[in-house]
Amino acid sequence: MSGTDTRVQPRKSGLTRRQKRALSRGIQYAVFLAAVVALGATADWDRLQNQFAQADLAERMFPDIITLALKNTVLYTLSGFAFGLALGMVIALMRLSPVGPYRWLAGIYIEFFRGLPALLIFIFVGVAVPLAFPGTEIPGGTYGKVALALGLVAAAYMAETIRAGIQAVPKGQMEAARSLGFSHTRAMVSIIIPQAFRIVIPPLTNELVLLFKDSSLVLFLGVTLEERELAKFGRDLASETANSTPILVAGLCYLLVTIPLGFVVRRLEAKAGEATK
């Protein structure tokens, strides 16, 4: 019997691993494209155009949707962000305080306002506060109410973000400052907090995007015609014309702000990642 090995060798696949990955991606793209084509073929584009794409209705919204609605939306967002940032800084420092009651109060605040929907906070500010304190007016009128409502919600999230940023600063920074004669407070203000803010700028910018969208809840405060923001402006005109084109245009105006802000967030996150390498 011959010593030659006559066992059948397994046949190797004709595709490499890279080719298999490319084939898998190609199949996924093809399935996605087929689904999009099928969806587009079955949609009633005439009805969609009549309901969402009436050019004459869109033209009626300008320039008021920019000079009034978008302007108010930006002002509401910035006022809420400013108040939330200031309050969030105080809550974050309380959270890090060696004094137990401060930590407990900060923890209760954070859990309470992070657990409630923003809508309930707006209703509380618009209804409960005037009932609880008759004759008391929140400074700034509607802008003050919005700043309070948005700020109360934002502060709970910003406080945790700022706290994490402060704790991310190396402890050696504080020790070095104290060795140079800095007091704890001066070291926090001059050295620790500025470094912490460089760390937390991306998530804070992301919080600004969220506040911009949450500003649509202003309608629950009962605003006047001159105080309307994008969502209220589009909704009123949609009810008046029995057409959804104004809502679509208002949504596009939101995207004009949120998409550039999202790009800024990604750039800041990329720079922060490069700085830590």
Side-chain angles (χ1 to χ4, degrees):
M1 186 174 183
S2 172
T4 304
D5 191 353
T6 58
R7 288 177 296 177
V8 178
Q9 299 293 329
R11 297 181 60 186
K12 295 184 179 180
S13 173
L15 297 177
T16 65
R17 183 175 301 177
R18 179 177 299 179
Q19 290 173 331
K20 289 179 180 179
R21 287 198 298 266
L23 178 62
S24 176
R25 285 195 299 269
I27 293 174
Q28 294 177 44
Y29 290 147
V31 171
F32 175 76
L33 181 61
V36 171
V37 171
L39 184 64
T42 56
D44 191 337
W45 293 104
D46 290 335
R47 293 183 63 183
L48 287 174
Q49 181 179 0
N50 290 334
Q51 187 64 26
F52 291 98
Q54 292 295 322
D56 57 332
L57 293 181
E59 290 177 1
R60 283 179 53 186
M61 301 177 70
F62 292 89
D64 288 347
I65 194 171
I66 301 297
T67 60
L68 177 68
L70 182 58
K71 181 198 72 174
N72 284 336
T73 301
V74 172
L75 291 176
Y76 292 149
T77 303
L78 294 179
S79 62
F81 183 82
F83 178 72
L85 184 61
L87 182 58
M89 172 61 71
V90 174
I91 299 298
L93 294 177
M94 290 175 63
R95 192 87 161 115
L96 296 171
S97 173
V99 181
Y102 287 168
R103 294 198 307 273
W104 304 332
L105 287 174
I108 292 172
Y109 177 93
I110 290 170
E111 295 303 325
F112 181 80
F113 283 99
R114 286 200 308 183
L116 286 178
L119 171 60
L120 296 183
I121 306 301
F122 273 84
I123 294 175
F124 172 79
V125 170
V127 178
V129 171
L131 290 176
F133 306 97
T136 301
E137 289 290 335
I138 297 176
T142 300
Y143 292 97
K145 293 178 182 178
V146 175
L148 179 60
L150 284 178
L152 287 174
V153 177
Y157 294 93
M158 290 184 183
E160 285 294 87
T161 300
I162 295 170
R163 178 190 61 81
I166 292 174
Q167 291 181 324
V169 177
K171 294 182 179 180
Q173 296 289 320
M174 175 61 77
E175 296 172 355
R178 296 303 299 273
S179 67
L180 293 174
F182 283 64
S183 65
H184 183 273
T185 301
R186 185 182 175 191
M188 286 292 293
V189 173
S190 302
I191 297 176
I192 304 302
I193 291 178
Q195 293 186 61
F197 265 91
R198 283 197 291 270
I199 296 172
V200 301
I201 281 177
L204 287 181
T205 308
N206 195 48
E207 183 64 29
L208 180 63
V209 175
L210 297 177
L211 285 181
F212 186 78
K213 294 184 292 183
D214 284 344
S215 66
S216 61
L217 298 173
V218 171
L219 63 92
F220 291 97
L221 295 177
V223 297
T224 65
L225 292 178
E226 295 301 317
E227 295 170 340
R228 290 178 297 174
E229 38 68 54
L230 284 171
K232 176 68 172 171
F233 186 89
R235 181 184 177 187
D236 287 350
L237 191 55
S239 299
E240 177 186 333
T241 60
N243 191 277
S244 299
T245 299
I247 295 178
L248 176 63
V249 176
L252 294 176
C253 289
Y254 276 104
L255 294 177
L256 287 177
V257 176
T258 56
I259 289 178
L261 278 178
F263 176 77
V264 170
V265 171
R266 291 190 295 272
R267 291 292 299 171
L268 291 174
E269 289 175 345
K271 288 185 178 180
E274 293 173 358
T276 58
K277 290 182 180 179

